[in-house]
């Protein structure tokens, strides 16, 4: 309908109207919040021009209404609205969405619909470049659902600043640990050791495995190891040598393997700590690489780890 | 079969327990265990970490709560990951990276809990593995061998365990067999200097059998004694009498470990009866059902009445959960698909148990244990006189009255 978006939550379906949405924001008092938008065009395989246009129109309408309600709310004066760029795969509509949203007093832009399977990412990357070209330099650009290290770098090269992602959690849920290297300027000894390490992992992951996780059928990537595998049963190394997370400082792959095999809760706790730290470390290295103009080197390192 | 130790050798047995204070009325004692991985203040509650982990809690969190000894389970660890691997990992301490003390039970209790998968003979207990159908024989020698590989600070004899609801000749058979198995464990123990082997008093709910077991086992040169075969389905009235009988016959200068006891009231009464060490899965298990332990009993946080209750579980509790989170938040978490609430509650419930033991110890040292007991019962039951009959009688038997 014109006035609302259907949202499915723990209790069932909710008709999210602008006023309901803003009432929730008033209660939460967030620092930033993503505006209500129509992302349905982005969910479908092939978006029709008509559907894409509709998603842009409705999203702009929602934005204007939310901005108006925000003005009237004392409690939300300190909160910042993030405008959402819609338009599916239709270039014309994407550009229109970007230009129109940029005219509004939003604090940043969320580029919706760039998540999805890697096969479609190529076309979407072209859209992405065009969209960010229309956006002001001094406001952050967010993308959600893009999380593989190689894809992250592609988006960063095209002007994305923030990534909301589920990836470290998904990796944890499938009993895996992120192990990919992002150290693009290591010392020579480490290079040799790590190269041997990464060669090993790539050789192994020639067959990509489908591992069921809670509700989401996600494939294990080449950036991680699966601690359930028997080969880790007697591996007394940390998940990643040199990692300073609690898990790597205190525990071994053998212990994590045991916890997973015996279905112990601690497995997820320890893996989560590692996966966050590893992923944050990756982003730290991206920032360092950008500052010292070495992104190409980091990109090359990451691409060596993609099968 | 080893001959009974003579009184002379008993005097030379190492004493791991130092008594710090004794209640002048009851049999309660405050003490200190000197174990290879550090000192442990008694009375002590030992959380149960069956499979080399404390149900979602990290070693660091457990240490921060003040835990200095916890339990591992020989039967489970013996199957997965197995003693050879653990030995390669520098023992159970190394494998789970726990710097303090560990106590491993012998696997005997699984004889009762997994009774459909087990068969007992003089040789040992034959188990069929639930994982691969393989048969294993857990003999006294094998149990000690596994525990030697695990390297725990206190190891338990393999005992012939029968459920406390069993009556008849089986109880007597199990009692005498436990004595013979104790001697076999002592003989098989390769590391008496590094690991303390405790005997386990059996005899069910029969006073004569228990008395016999006490008389025989106390002749053996072991650093400590456990009171076993209780905390099953028996009535509380029978339970406390067996505990009291046991503590009256156990040496004062060695620790008394009452196995499987963990409800707050039971802990308080059994400390009064002279027990020093306790273990139970109850606090960690009940946490995973959304239940938080408090001085007045427990809070079922899933219930609607906590939906908007923004206070902590217990305003007097110093645990991280009570410092940071409200009942309302935990309630919301319990109704989501997020398992975080279980971790928060496990932390709190362990803290509750440890704080209870600490408080008891302080009251014994400060010579006000009977008053502590009265206050505890008053808080728990609304009025000290509303305390359950069995507890009132048990306390009265050691000179503590509640009115």
């Amino acid at each position: 309908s014109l006035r609302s978006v259907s949202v499915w939550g723990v209790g069932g379906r909710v008709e999210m109207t602008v006023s309901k949405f803003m009432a929730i924001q008033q209660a939460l008092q967030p620092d930033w919040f993503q505006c209500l938008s129509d992302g349905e065009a982005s969910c479908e395989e092939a978006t029709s021009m008509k559907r894409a246009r509709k998603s842009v129109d409705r999203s702009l309408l929602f934005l204007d209404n939310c901005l108006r309600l925000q003005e009237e709310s004392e409690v939300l004066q300190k909160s910042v609205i993030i405008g959402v760029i819609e338009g599916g795969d239709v270039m014309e509509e994407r550009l229109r969405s970007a230009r129109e949203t940029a005219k509004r007093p939003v604090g940043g832009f969320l580029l919706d619909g760039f998540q999805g399977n890697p096969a479609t990412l190529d076309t979407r990357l072209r859209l992405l470049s065009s969209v960010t070209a229309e956006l002001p330099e001094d406001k952050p650009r967010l993308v959600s659902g893009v999380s593989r290290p190689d894809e992250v770098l592609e988006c960063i090269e095209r002007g994305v600043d923030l990534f909301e992602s589920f990836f470290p959690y998904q990796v944890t849920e499938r009993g895996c640990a992120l192990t990919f290297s992002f150290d693009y300027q290591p010392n020579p000894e480490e290079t040799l050791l790590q190269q041997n390490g990464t060669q090993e992992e790539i050789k192994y992951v020639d067959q990509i495995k489908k591992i069921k996780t809670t509700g989401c059928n996600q494939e294990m990537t080449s950036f991680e190891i699966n601690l359930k595998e028997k080969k880790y049963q007697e591996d007394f190394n940390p998940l990643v040598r040199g990692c300073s997370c609690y898990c790597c400082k205190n525990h071994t792959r053998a212990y994590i393997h045991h916890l997973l095999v015996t279905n112990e809760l601690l497995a997820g706790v320890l893996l989560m700590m590692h996966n966050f730290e590893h992923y944050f470390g990756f982003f730290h290295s991206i920032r360092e690489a950008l500052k010292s103009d070495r992104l190409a080197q980091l990109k090359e390192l990451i691409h060596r780890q993609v099968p | 079969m080893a001959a009974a130790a003579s009184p002379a050798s008993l005097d030379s047995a190492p004493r791991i327990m130092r008594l710090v204070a004794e209640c002048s009325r009851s049999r309660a004692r405050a003490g200190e265990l000197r174990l290879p991985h550090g000192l442990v203040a008694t009375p002590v509650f030992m959380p149960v970490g069956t499979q080399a982990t404390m149900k979602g809690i990290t070693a660091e969190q457990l240490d921060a709560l003040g835990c200095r000894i916890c339990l591992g389970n020989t039967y489970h660890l013996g199957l997965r990951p197995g003693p050879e691997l653990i030995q390669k990992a520098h023992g159970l301490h190394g494998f789970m990276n726990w710097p303090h003390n560990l106590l491993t039970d012998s696997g005997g209790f699984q004889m009762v809990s997994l009774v459909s998968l087990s068969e007992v003979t003089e040789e040992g207990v034959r188990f069929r593995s639930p994982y691969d159908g393989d048969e294993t024989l857990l003999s006294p020698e094998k149990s000690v061998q596994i525990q030697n590989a695990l390297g725990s600070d206190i190891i338990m004899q393999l005992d012939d365990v029968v459920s406390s609801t069993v009556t008849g000749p089986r109880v007597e058979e199990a009692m005498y067999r436990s004595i013979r198995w104790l001697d076999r464990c002592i003989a098989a123990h390769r590391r008496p200097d590094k690991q303390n082997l405790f005997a386990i008093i059996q005899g069910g709910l029969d006073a004569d059998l228990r008395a016999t077991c006490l008389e025989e086992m106390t002749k053996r040169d072991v650093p400590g004694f456990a009171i076993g075969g209780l905390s099953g389905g028996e009535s509380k009235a029978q339970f406390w009498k067996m505990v009291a009988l046991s503590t009256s016959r156990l040496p004062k200068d060695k620790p008394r470990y009452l196995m499987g006891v963990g409800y707050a009231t039971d802990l308080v009464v059994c400390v009064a009866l002279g027990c020093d060490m306790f273990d139970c899965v109850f606090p960690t298990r009940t946490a995973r059902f959304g239940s938080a332990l408090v001085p007045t009993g427990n809070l079922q946080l899933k219930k609607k009445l906590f939906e908007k209750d923004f206070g902590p579980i217990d305003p007097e509790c110093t645990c991280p959960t009570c410092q940071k989170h409200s009942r309302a938040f935990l309630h919301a978490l319990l109704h989501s698909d997020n398992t975080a609430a279980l971790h928060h509650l496990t932390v709190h419930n362990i803290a509750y148990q440890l704080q209870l033991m600490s408080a008891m110890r302080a009251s014994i040292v400060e010579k006000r244990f009977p008053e502590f007991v009265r206050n505890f019962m008053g808080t728990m039951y609304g009025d000290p006189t509303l305390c359950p009959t069995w507890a009132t009688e048990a306390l009265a038997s050691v000179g503590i009255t509640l009115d």
Side-chain angles (χ1 to χ4, degrees), chain A residues 88-91 94 114 123-131:
Chain A
D89 288 336
V90 180
M91 178 68 84
R94 280 284 179 183
F114 288 92
T123 27
R124 290 178 175 177
L125 287 178
R126 262 175 275 136
L127 276 172
L128 189 59
S129 294
S130 308
V131 166

Side-chain angles (χ1 to χ4, degrees), chain B residues 175 179 182 199-203 206-220 225-228 241-251 256:
Chain B
M175 186 273 285
I179 300 171
L182 171 60
I200 306 179
I201 311 291
Q202 293 294 344
D206 185 313
D208 291 329
L209 291 177
R210 222 163 246 277
T212 306
C213 198
L214 282 156
E215 193 184 323
E216 282 306 312
M217 287 194 172
T218 49
K219 289 178 189 165
R220 273 70 174 168
F225 296 92
I227 302 165
K241 293 199 176 83
M242 290 298 106
V243 174
L245 170 62
S246 303
T247 56
S248 70
R249 309 275 173 103
L250 286 170
R256 297 92 170 260

Side-chain angles (χ1 to χ4, degrees), chain B residues 152-333:
Chain B
S152 35
D153 305 89
I154 297 177
I155 68 176
M156 305 303 296
Q157 71 156 109
L158 182 67
D159 49 343
D160 186 356
V161 189
V162 290
S163 162
S164 52
T165 51
V166 168
T167 52
R170 178 73 184 104
V171 183
E172 182 170 351
E173 178 194 51
M175 186 273 285
Y176 281 112
R177 181 171 291 144
S178 295
I179 300 171
R180 294 192 293 275
W181 281 5
L182 171 60
D183 289 337
R184 284 168 61 182
C185 285
I186 293 171
H189 188 17
R190 293 272 160 278
R191 308 174 78 223
D193 52 329
K194 284 269 156 64
Q195 299 179 271
N196 298 286
L197 172 64
F198 277 25
I200 306 179
I201 311 291
Q202 293 294 344
L205 302 172
D206 185 313
D208 291 329
L209 291 177
R210 222 163 246 277
T212 306
C213 198
L214 282 156
E215 193 184 323
E216 282 306 312
M217 287 194 172
T218 49
K219 289 178 189 165
R220 273 70 174 168
D221 185 11
V222 286
F225 296 92
I227 302 165
L230 299 175
S231 201
E234 76 277 4
S235 76
K236 278 298 203 286
Q238 295 166 303
F239 161 77
W240 81 257
K241 293 199 176 83
M242 290 298 106
V243 174
L245 170 62
S246 303
T247 56
S248 70
R249 309 275 173 103
L250 286 170
K252 274 197 158 188
D253 58 352
K254 291 182 176 179
R256 297 92 170 260
Y257 165 24
L258 181 55
M259 305 184 84
V261 169
Y263 295 126
T265 300
D266 300 5
L267 291 170
V268 173
V269 171
C270 292
V271 165
L273 295 178
C275 297
D276 309 300
M277 302 162 66
F278 306 86
D279 83 281
C280 192
V281 294
F282 170 67
T284 41
R285 182 170 290 169
T286 206
R288 298 197 298 285
F289 290 107
S291 175
L293 300 176
V294 289
T296 50
N298 65 76
L299 305 178
Q300 299 297 325
L301 290 172
K302 275 188 183 162
K303 292 203 166 147
K304 207 164 161 66
L305 69 122
F306 296 110
E307 202 181 31
K308 295 181 183 170
D309 186 343
F310 293 104
I313 293 170
D314 180 359
E316 305 291 306
C317 180
T318 56
C319 85
T321 302
C322 291
Q323 295 304 300
K324 285 190 268 189
H325 300 301
S326 65
R327 299 169 176 195
F329 178 63
L330 295 166
H331 172 90
L333 278 180

Side-chain angles (χ1 to χ4, degrees), chain A residues 10 233-234 236 246 250-251 254-255 258-259 261-262 264-266 269-270 273, chain B residues 51-53 55-60 80-81 85 88-89 95-97 288 343:
Chain A
V10 176
Q233 199 177 48
E234 289 195 23
F236 295 112
Y246 177 83
N250 290 286
H251 295 295
Y255 185 58
H258 164 74
L259 294 175
V261 161
T262 54
E264 284 287 345
L265 287 170
L266 190 62
V269 171
L270 295 175
M273 285 197 271
Chain B
Q51 303 193 101
T53 165
K55 297 298 175 218
I57 304 304
T58 65
E60 189 182 84
R80 299 185 305 189
L85 182 76
K88 283 188 195 162
F95 186 59
M96 53 189 289
N97 200 16
R288 298 197 298 285
H343 301 279

